[in-house]
Amino acid sequence: MPEITDTRRFFFEITDIVEYVRQGNLRVTGIQRVQLNLIRLMAEKFGAERVRCLCYRGRDNAMLEFEPNQMLDLSDEFDGEKMLFRLGFIQDRGKLPSPITLKRYLRNGSSGKWQRACKKLDLLLSALFFPRRFRRTGLVRACDLFQGVNRLEVRQLHGLSAQDSLVFLGVNWKEARVVDFAFKHAKEGGDIVQFMHDLIPVIRPEYCTDSTVREFSDWLNHAVVPLVSRVVCNSSWTARDFCQHIQLRRMPGDVGIVPLAHEFFGYSRTLSPTGLLPIQVRGAGEFVLCVGTIEIRKNGAMLLRCWLRLYAELGERLPRLVFVGKRGWLADEFYALLSCQPTLLRWVVLIEAPSDQELAALYRACLFAVYPSCYEGWGLPVGEAAWFGKYSIVSNRSSLPEVCGNLVDYVDPENEESIVAALGRAIRNRAYIRNKEQQIELVPLRTWLDVANDMWRILNEEPTCGSVGMQVERLMAD
C-alpha cells in the first residue's frame, strides 16, 4: 500500500444516485440522502481538489469525474432532473417536458401500454400546440425547468492513482463498468472503501424480493469482501451483522463505525421550518407521523391495525395517521387493509414524495412520531424527529435503540398490544409528550458535519494492506 499523503484524493462513486433519479425518483431519501450530505460537507470543508465525484455514463461507456459542489447546487434543495442535466444525461428539449418528468407523468394512473402511449401523445401535442391545456397538467417544459442551469465540466477517467481512494457510500456494483474500474484500482494497490448501511437482504431475506436477495448476496460476497480494503458501518448493529455474516467473532482492523446524524440537513433545531404543510394535511387537525418507504419491513400494516383499535377506543378524538414514503417491496397487505376499511380511508393520509420543506414542516407540526420497523441498519426518521424536538414511539429491534437512547419509548414491533398501549398513552397524556420533548431539547444531537468529520478521519487513516477478505482469512487462521 502506498504511503498516505495530504495530497491523497477521495473519489466518491455515485452511479447509484444517478440511476435512482433516472428511474423517476426526483427526491432523495435514505441512503441517497446520506451520500449527498456527506459528499457536499466533505467537499465544502476539505476542498474540491481532494473530494471528487465519479459516475458512469453509458453513452460514452466511460467513468466521468467532476466537482461535487457544482453537481449539487448547494444554494437550493436537491433536484434530480437538474443534476442529470448538469451531468449531460438529459438534454434541453425546448417546449417538451424532460424525459424524467414524462416518465413520472405516464407512470401515474396509466396501467396499460396502450393507455400510456395515448397519454404520452396527448401530452406532447399539448406541449407543442396547446399551451393552456399543457399548463393544466402542472408540468414544466424543459426550456423553463433548465433555464439558468449550467452544464458541468466533466472529464473521462480511465483509472486512479494508486495513492487515491475509491469510496462507495451506496451500493454501486450493478454496472459492470463500475466493477471493472474498481477491480483495476484494487489490482494496482489502491484503497477501496465501502460504507455499509445494512445487511437486511442476507440477514432477514423475508423482507426483500428474491431478486434483491440474490443481487445483494452476490455483491457482498463477490465484490465487497474480496475487493474492498476497508468497510465503514453506520451503527454497531450493522457492524455486528457484517462480522457475523463473514463468520467472525470480532471485527477486522479495517471495519469501522460512523453513526449517522439526527440532523435534518439544512434546518435548525431551534427555528421553525418556513415551508407549508402538504395540502393533504392542511386543516386536518392533529396527526401522528410515520416516515419511511411503505414496505413489509417498516411494519405499516401492523400500525394500521393498531389505528383501527385506537379508533374503537377514542373515536373522533383519534389524531390522523400520516405516512410519508413511496410504495416499496411486498406492501400488498398494507394497501389491501387500507382500501377495505372505511375508517382507515378517513383517518389515514399517504404522502409519497414531499419536498424537504414540506417534510420539515410535517416533523415540526406532528403530535409525535412513530417508527415500528422490524429491522433497520440505522433509522434516520427517528433522529430527524428528535432534531425537530419531537418524541417518538420506536421499535426495540436491531439498530434503533442506538439512534436516540432513552429519549424515545420502545415497543415490540410484533406485539400489537405493546404498540396500542404506547400509542394510547401518548395520545391521551399530552403532559407526558411535553415532558419527553423537554428532555429532547436539552440533549446535544449529532449533526451531519459530525458524521463528515468522523468519516474523513477514517478515510485518512492508513488502511491495512490487502482486502477485508484477506484480513478475515488471517483472523480465522489465528
Side-chain angles (χ1 to χ4, degrees):
M1 178 63 62
E3 181 182 354
I4 305 301
T5 72
D6 59 6
T7 60
R8 179 182 180 188
R9 296 179 299 169
F10 299 91
F11 290 82
F12 291 85
E13 217 292 328
I14 64 159
T15 299
D16 64 325
I17 298 179
V18 170
E19 292 306 314
Y20 180 81
V21 173
R22 293 181 73 185
Q23 291 167 13
N25 301 292
L26 302 186
R27 308 286 186 192
V28 288
T29 60
I31 292 175
Q32 291 78 27
R33 183 185 289 273
V34 171
Q35 292 184 70
L36 293 176
N37 289 348
L38 291 181
I39 292 170
R40 75 169 78 195
L41 284 170
M42 283 189 275
E44 281 185 325
K45 183 168 183 179
F46 304 109
E49 68 278 359
R50 295 195 67 194
V51 178
R52 312 295 293 171
C53 275
L54 288 174
C55 72
Y56 173 73
R57 192 166 68 188
R59 77 164 188 259
D60 307 302
N61 191 29
M63 301 294 292
L64 305 180
E65 177 197 358
F66 48 91
E67 288 190 16
N69 287 356
Q70 294 179 17
M71 172 196 70
L72 295 174
D73 186 11
L74 301 180
S75 64
D76 202 359
E77 185 171 321
F78 176 81
D79 186 305
E81 281 182 293
K82 291 180 181 178
M83 181 194 76
L84 293 184
F85 180 77
R86 288 189 181 95
L87 291 173
F89 281 87
I90 56 179
Q91 307 300 316
D92 181 349
R93 303 197 302 169
K95 292 184 177 182
L96 299 177
S98 80
I100 306 300
T101 294
L102 187 59
K103 181 183 293 187
R104 287 174 59 84
Y105 178 78
L106 296 176
R107 189 170 58 191
N108 293 332
S110 303
S111 56
K113 185 176 181 181
W114 175 247
Q115 185 183 11
R116 286 193 298 272
C118 292
K119 192 174 181 180
K120 179 178 180 180
L121 179 61
D122 179 69
L123 179 66
L124 296 180
L125 289 173
S126 297
L128 291 172
F129 304 112
F130 306 104
R132 185 175 299 177
R133 189 167 73 183
F134 179 76
R135 283 195 296 271
R136 286 200 295 268
T137 67
L139 302 181
V140 179
R141 290 186 170 103
C143 59
D144 297 322
L145 179 64
F146 301 130
Q147 185 176 10
V149 180
N150 298 318
R151 294 288 191 184
L152 199 60
E153 292 184 11
V154 299
R155 72 182 185 97
Q156 293 188 13
L157 197 64
H158 302 289
L160 303 180
S161 166
Q163 74 167 2
D164 293 330
S165 291
L166 178 59
V167 186
F168 292 90
L169 294 180
V171 182
N172 303 23
W173 301 86
K174 290 184 179 180
E175 175 54 58
R177 183 69 177 83
V178 175
V179 176
D180 292 342
F181 188 87
F183 268 91
K184 180 176 182 290
H185 187 54
K187 187 177 180 179
E188 294 173 354
D191 176 36
I192 299 181
V193 183
Q194 176 66 53
F195 197 95
M196 293 297 304
H197 296 269
D198 63 70
L199 284 88
I200 293 168
V202 294
I203 300 297
R204 298 296 298 270
E206 65 271 25
Y207 295 139
C208 305
T209 62
D210 291 342
S211 61
T212 298
V213 172
R214 289 193 301 271
E215 290 174 0
F216 187 92
S217 299
D218 185 65
W219 165 76
L220 185 62
N221 297 325
H222 300 117
V224 173
V225 172
L227 180 63
V228 168
S229 45
R230 290 184 287 171
V231 170
V232 183
C233 298
N234 63 350
S235 66
S236 297
W237 188 273
T238 298
R240 190 209 69 166
D241 276 353
F242 179 76
C243 292
Q244 286 189 350
H245 178 74
I246 57 179
Q247 299 180 333
L248 284 183
R249 294 181 180 176
R250 62 187 176 95
M251 289 191 293
D254 283 326
V255 175
I257 300 171
V258 175
L260 299 184
H262 304 94
E263 179 186 13
F264 190 88
F265 190 82
Y267 291 83
S268 167
R269 289 184 69 179
T270 56
L271 296 178
S272 295
T274 57
L276 291 173
L277 286 168
I279 193 169
Q280 298 96 316
V281 294
R282 292 179 200 169
E286 292 183 322
F287 64 90
V288 174
L289 184 65
C290 182
V291 177
T293 305
I294 308 298
E295 61 180 74
I296 186 172
R297 174 172 59 90
K298 302 293 186 178
N299 214 18
M302 170 68 84
L303 196 50
L304 291 180
R305 291 193 291 271
C306 292
W307 225 251
L308 283 172
R309 288 185 52 179
L310 288 166
Y311 182 77
E313 297 176 17
L314 300 172
E316 298 297 311
R317 292 179 295 157
L318 182 67
R320 297 290 193 279
L321 175 60
V322 176
F323 286 92
V324 175
K326 65 177 184 177
R327 182 167 185 159
W329 297 323
L330 308 176
D332 290 348
E333 181 185 4
F334 175 92
Y335 287 98
L337 187 57
L338 189 61
S339 64
C340 71
Q341 292 287 344
T343 298
L344 294 179
L345 289 174
R346 181 182 172 198
W347 290 96
V348 175
V349 178
L350 303 183
I351 302 174
E352 180 177 346
S355 67
D356 282 358
Q357 284 191 346
E358 289 173 326
L359 182 54
L362 285 165
Y363 274 125
R364 184 67 82 185
C366 72
L367 180 62
F368 61 88
V370 58
Y371 200 72
S373 176
C374 295
Y375 210 95
E376 294 291 331
W378 174 252
L380 285 174
V382 178
E384 290 174 349
W387 183 257
F388 289 111
K390 292 298 178 175
Y391 157 74
S392 293
I393 294 171
V394 183
S395 164
N396 61 7
R397 299 293 173 86
S398 60
S399 63
L400 289 166
E402 296 183 46
V403 181
C404 280
N406 61 5
L407 297 178
V408 302
D409 286 335
Y410 295 97
V411 293
D412 181 345
E414 297 179 0
N415 187 324
E416 190 173 306
E417 298 294 334
S418 168
I419 300 172
V420 169
L423 291 169
R425 176 179 63 178
I427 292 169
R428 293 185 181 94
N429 190 346
R430 304 306 169 84
Y432 181 80
I433 295 177
R434 287 194 296 272
N435 179 261
K436 298 295 286 189
E437 290 176 346
Q438 289 169 0
Q439 294 177 36
I440 293 169
E441 289 173 2
L442 297 175
V443 175
L445 297 179
R446 188 165 166 82
T447 68
W448 284 108
L449 184 57
D450 295 331
V451 182
N453 285 332
D454 290 346
M455 189 70 186
W456 188 253
R457 173 183 52 78
I458 287 180
L459 289 177
N460 280 278
E461 291 174 353
E462 184 170 358
T464 304
C465 184
S467 68
V468 168
M470 292 173 62
Q471 297 177 59
V472 169
E473 291 177 4
R474 288 196 295 268
L475 286 174
M476 294 184 73
D478 293 342

